[in-house]
Amino acid sequence: MSAPRFRPALDAIRAFQPTGRVTPPGELVRLLAANESPYPPPGAVVRAIHEQALGINRYPDNGCGALLAEISARLGVPADSVAAGCGSVGATQMLLAAVAEPGVEIVYADPSFEAYRILTRLSGATPVEVPLRDGGHDLPAMAAAITDRTRLVFVCNPNNPTGTVVAGLEDFVEQVPPDCLVVLDEAYIEYARTGDGLALARGRRNVLVLRTFSKAYGLAGLRVGFVAGHPETIAAIRTAYLPFSVNSIAQAAAIAALRSADELMARVSATIAERDRVSAELVAQGWPVTPSEANFVWLPLGDRAADLAVRCAAAGVVVRAFPGAGVRITIGTPDDNDAFLKVAGPARRPDGFA
């Protein structure tokens, strides 16, 4: 009996595996794997969700007009220079739907955000992965990897999973051909002690900036993000938008979150302080720690990464292992972080294991 035919590209894809597990009744599990905010939404966001819930019998605003106007006012970019997406992943899919096809190459660092690989292969394009150097982007190598088949380059800044920021972006952008998009993925930019890419994108038709409400704004469960750039480029990207994919509750919550920026940025400051504390204690314990500018820390443990993740899971602390590379630990509440530090314990060997 014949079976349904699927695209051969699926054979090369490892489906995205969300990290975490359902907490059994009565069992405390510290979820430090998905880079979520540990804080519940502000009261204004909760009220906006409740109010908007009364209208979910109607379709959302497909153009996300009120949300784009709020983003425009807050970030100082014209509304026609912004397109909303179902999280930054949805915006990434829009980008690839607009530029990728068989024969096209997409360049990005490795390891970096795993959705780049999955969505590139699903688009029919060829991924070109450039290894990190000392935990950060190797921009000269990435520039050298660009060919006349390259249609888009992702630069994750700060990088996920290592937390490193990218220096020398302006020089890099100048080396990229004008017909190739440079996408600055700034999902964690609020946690970084550095400037953002919006100024770099201004006036450049081939530079775009990705942002999300899932991290610093604490709306991971609602899936809303956006891409900003030159209005003509954004107009082309919008044609690949999946209709109504940013739901009405997500739009209302994102607007309320933007208006609650002072409260949310105070939480970001608390997370940064915890990140620095956790990093310092890990270094004192003898662990190799990559300096982070995100809401997580990275331990480059190579082949021993899975061992630490298993040890943490056994103690009810869920972290994210990247086999063969390292372990990423999300910064949670102080109690969550202390629970992880207790499991990690002093490292008596350079590889972090007694």
Side-chain angles (χ1 to χ4, degrees):
M1 181 181 296
S2 60
R5 290 178 291 176
F6 296 100
R7 295 172 54 204
L10 297 183
D11 295 336
I13 295 173
R14 180 179 179 271
F16 179 75
Q17 300 292 327
T19 304
R21 59 188 174 110
V22 176
T23 307
E27 181 180 346
L28 176 63
V29 175
R30 315 277 186 176
L31 296 177
L32 302 180
N35 297 346
E36 301 149 324
S37 169
Y39 303 104
V45 173
V46 174
R47 290 191 294 273
I49 290 172
H50 285 173
E51 291 170 6
Q52 192 60 48
L54 298 175
I56 60 171
N57 56 305
R58 305 295 183 184
Y59 284 109
D61 172 12
N62 191 55
C64 303
L67 173 57
L68 297 187
E70 193 69 29
I71 292 171
S72 172
R74 298 284 169 175
L75 299 184
V77 296
D80 64 354
S81 296
V82 187
C86 184
S88 62
V89 174
T92 298
Q93 188 173 39
M94 288 166 56
L95 291 166
L96 290 170
V99 305
E101 57 190 341
V104 163
E105 295 177 348
I106 307 297
V107 174
Y108 52 86
D110 181 47
S112 195
F113 185 34
E114 62 191 305
Y116 302 153
R117 177 184 297 116
I118 295 170
L119 295 178
T120 295
R121 290 197 178 280
L122 283 174
S123 73
T126 301
V128 177
E129 300 176 342
V130 179
L132 297 178
R133 183 175 60 185
D134 299 325
H137 281 62
D138 187 345
L139 292 183
M142 292 180 72
I146 296 172
T147 71
D148 58 2
R149 296 182 298 278
T150 307
R151 198 75 63 86
L152 185 150
V153 179
F154 285 111
V155 179
C156 190
N157 187 36
N159 187 48
N160 176 16
T162 59
T164 50
V165 294
V166 183
L169 270 175
E170 186 166 2
D171 290 341
F172 173 73
V173 166
E174 293 299 326
Q175 297 177 60
V176 177
D179 62 352
C180 177
L181 286 176
V182 178
V183 178
L184 308 178
D185 185 347
E186 296 186 336
Y188 302 95
I189 196 65
E190 291 86 0
Y191 300 98
R193 303 184 184 94
T194 185
D196 60 52
L198 292 173
L200 188 58
R202 192 169 293 118
R204 290 182 167 93
R205 294 186 61 174
N206 70 325
V207 179
L208 297 170
V209 176
L210 274 174
R211 296 281 181 89
T212 183
F213 287 90
S214 297
K215 310 303 180 184
Y217 288 92
L219 301 183
L222 287 179
R223 314 306 306 124
V224 56
F226 62 91
V227 56
H230 192 281
E232 292 181 17
T233 306
I234 292 297
I237 299 302
R238 282 179 175 159
T239 63
Y241 175 66
L242 180 64
F244 305 120
S245 60
V246 181
N247 70 71
S248 54
I249 291 178
Q251 293 182 41
I255 292 170
L258 285 166
R259 294 174 181 174
S260 303
D262 289 345
E263 181 178 354
L264 289 167
M265 291 310 110
R267 295 176 177 185
V268 166
S269 295
T271 296
I272 290 173
E274 276 295 288
R275 177 193 71 201
D276 293 346
R277 179 181 75 88
V278 170
S279 296
E281 292 200 24
L282 287 169
V283 169
Q285 291 176 352
W287 293 91
V289 181
T290 299
S292 173
E293 294 284 334
N295 68 333
F296 52 84
V297 295
W298 172 254
L299 305 181
L301 299 178
D303 293 338
R304 307 304 296 273
D307 294 343
L308 177 60
V310 169
R311 194 165 81 195
C312 287
V317 179
V318 183
V319 298
R320 179 65 188 274
F322 291 73
V327 176
R328 188 189 70 196
I329 305 99
T330 302
I331 298 301
T333 65
D335 286 347
D336 292 337
N337 302 330
D338 287 342
F340 164 72
L341 289 168
K342 182 178 180 180
V343 177
R348 295 196 293 271
R349 280 179 22 196
D351 64 3
F353 290 87

